[in-house]
Amino acid sequence: MEKYLNYKGISPFPDDFDEFWNEEIRKADEFFEKELKYEMIKKDFGIPFAECYDLYFNGTGGARIYSKLIIPKEVKDKKIPFVLKFHGYQGQSSDWSRNIGIVASGMGLAMMDVRGQAGKSQDNGIFDGITVRGHIVKGVKEGRDKLFYKDVYLDTYLLSKIIENFEFTDKENIKVYGESQGGALSLVCAALNQNIKDSFIIYPFLSDYKKVVEMHTITEAYVELYRYFKFIDPFHETEEEFFNTLSYIDVKNFAHKIKGKLVFIASLMDDVCPPETQFAVYNNLECEKKLLVMPEYSHEAMNVKVQDKIFNWATGSSIE
């Protein structure tokens, strides 16, 4: 445990990182004001205290992004808190019933499908679901502007702006959380939209790519990095350029931008997102933060006490 507490990562942090992402936010705000359109299609699930909607909006590059949206009934003349939840790699948003307790407590809930993965979001407006893997390196040869995850990160930001601009949203009480890829996207969303003041991050993916390669991590989540060098650049002739490009979507590099409060769960037996890469995120945070460590857990479902902590965090209760 001690060896992780000061580790901040070995992947590069570009000098113009903040400048690059500030410009991306500026363009996203302009897109939001002038081009973004969304539609809400009501579902009929017979839930007495909530209304459910399919929410679609046009993302960058012509993508069509899907989210589940659940709001308490009778929100007229009320301002309600909101939770944005993001899912793990290659997956899709949780079942409607999975987090209904949050809505029963009087909060809204939005759950986005990542473009090109298993859900209903369409990558580039053409492809439904599932391209399985390769998303980290998608666009890396073309440069930072073409990175797949750059657009996914902007999708999270645009979703947060849609939620923020509902007339019934309490703009001072929007929270984000997720596990693995969902943890990474939650953190990035909060970094890009600094009106988000509360985050719950669990063993985040997409961090410290150079360390992942150095550790020969070839589990399913990161195998594309291994395959890139094995089958495209076996002599690592493009290594510096490769990692410099990926540094613009390295989650540890967003950590310093987080404002407000953050709860972080690290799993010390994790062989998918190695503990070093998790702590590279946590140790670069400059906000108010709380670390919870699970020494016996790997990259797995956390169903013992963790879900209660998430619920208590979401509803503003103590997580102790």
Side-chain angles (χ1 to χ4, degrees):
M1 175 66 186
E2 293 297 321
K3 65 181 179 179
Y4 302 131
L5 293 180
N6 295 310
Y7 179 76
K8 292 190 172 184
I10 61 172
S11 292
F13 181 92
D15 292 339
D16 65 345
F17 180 87
D18 287 337
E19 179 183 349
F20 173 78
W21 277 104
N22 288 341
E23 176 61 14
E24 290 300 316
I25 293 170
R26 187 198 66 77
K27 290 188 290 187
D29 285 339
E30 183 176 345
F31 178 83
F32 181 82
E33 293 295 331
K34 296 181 179 180
E35 298 181 52
L36 188 136
K37 298 178 177 61
Y38 70 86
E39 61 175 329
M40 293 166 54
I41 303 170
K42 192 171 183 180
K43 311 287 285 185
D44 184 14
F45 293 140
I47 303 172
F49 56 83
E51 293 181 345
C52 301
Y53 297 87
D54 290 327
L55 171 65
Y56 291 93
F57 66 92
N58 56 314
T60 56
R64 189 169 190 243
I65 308 303
Y66 170 80
S67 296
K68 295 182 174 79
L69 176 66
I70 314 176
I71 56 177
K73 285 188 176 178
E74 304 301 328
V75 295
K76 292 179 181 178
D77 302 321
K78 293 181 181 179
K79 298 291 185 181
I80 63 170
F82 251 94
V83 174
L84 278 59
K85 180 184 179 185
F86 298 100
H87 66 77
Y89 191 40
Q90 304 176 19
Q92 59 184 295
S93 53
S94 299
D95 289 351
W96 294 92
S97 60
R98 182 76 181 271
N99 298 102
I100 202 70
I102 288 175
V103 183
S105 71
M107 307 185 72
L109 176 67
M111 301 182 289
M112 187 188 85
D113 285 357
V114 173
R115 59 170 75 190
Q117 296 187 8
K120 295 181 180 179
S121 291
Q122 295 175 316
D123 187 19
N124 297 323
I126 300 172
F127 303 106
D128 283 317
I130 182 167
T131 49
V132 183
R133 61 171 71 107
H135 294 148
I136 297 173
V137 300
K138 184 176 178 182
V140 72
K141 284 187 170 183
E142 292 78 16
R144 64 186 187 180
D145 291 322
K146 298 296 184 181
L147 290 168
F148 171 83
Y149 269 111
K150 187 205 79 169
D151 288 313
V152 174
Y153 293 171
L154 292 173
D155 292 339
T156 73
Y157 177 72
L158 292 172
L159 174 63
S160 75
K161 296 295 288 184
I162 292 171
I163 299 302
E164 188 177 78
N165 280 273
F166 287 152
E167 61 180 11
F168 49 80
T169 297
D170 179 356
K171 295 176 176 57
E172 300 300 315
N173 198 353
I174 301 174
K175 303 181 178 185
V176 290
Y177 93 95
E179 304 170 4
S180 191
Q181 177 184 254
L185 297 185
S186 297
L187 189 142
V188 171
C189 185
L192 298 182
N193 186 346
Q194 296 184 349
N195 292 330
I196 297 171
K197 299 296 196 301
D198 219 337
S199 310
F200 200 120
I201 310 300
I202 301 174
Y203 49 49
F205 181 43
L206 303 172
S207 170
D208 204 9
Y209 301 117
K210 192 171 185 178
K211 186 66 172 180
V212 169
V213 173
E214 181 186 86
M215 296 177 69
H216 303 290
T217 306
I218 57 173
T219 53
E220 187 173 10
Y222 281 121
V223 70
E224 58 211 62
L225 300 178
Y226 163 83
R227 291 178 63 84
Y228 175 87
F229 285 110
K230 184 168 184 178
F231 296 110
I232 296 176
D233 183 16
F235 298 107
H236 286 235
E237 295 169 321
T238 64
E239 179 178 324
E240 183 176 0
E241 181 182 358
F242 178 81
F243 287 121
N244 284 340
T245 301
L246 289 185
S247 68
Y248 291 93
I249 57 164
D250 192 322
V251 172
K252 77 172 181 62
N253 292 343
F254 288 87
H256 72 285
K257 297 173 72 67
I258 298 287
K259 307 299 180 185
K261 298 180 295 183
L262 186 144
V263 180
F264 192 104
I265 292 182
S267 51
L268 296 191
M269 294 183 67
D270 200 322
D271 62 351
V272 175
C273 297
E276 289 88 344
T277 69
Q278 298 177 44
F279 279 89
V281 176
Y282 182 79
N283 292 329
N284 279 292
L285 292 166
E286 299 175 4
C287 62
E288 179 182 344
K289 59 186 181 179
K290 181 177 181 63
L291 175 65
L292 301 172
V293 176
M294 303 186 76
E296 289 77 33
Y297 273 73
S298 61
H299 207 77
E300 59 187 296
M302 294 181 168
N303 296 320
V304 181
K305 297 189 176 181
V306 173
Q307 299 307 313
D308 283 346
K309 287 186 182 295
I310 294 170
F311 182 81
N312 288 342
W313 162 82
T315 57
S317 303
S318 172
I319 65 168
E320 301 300 336

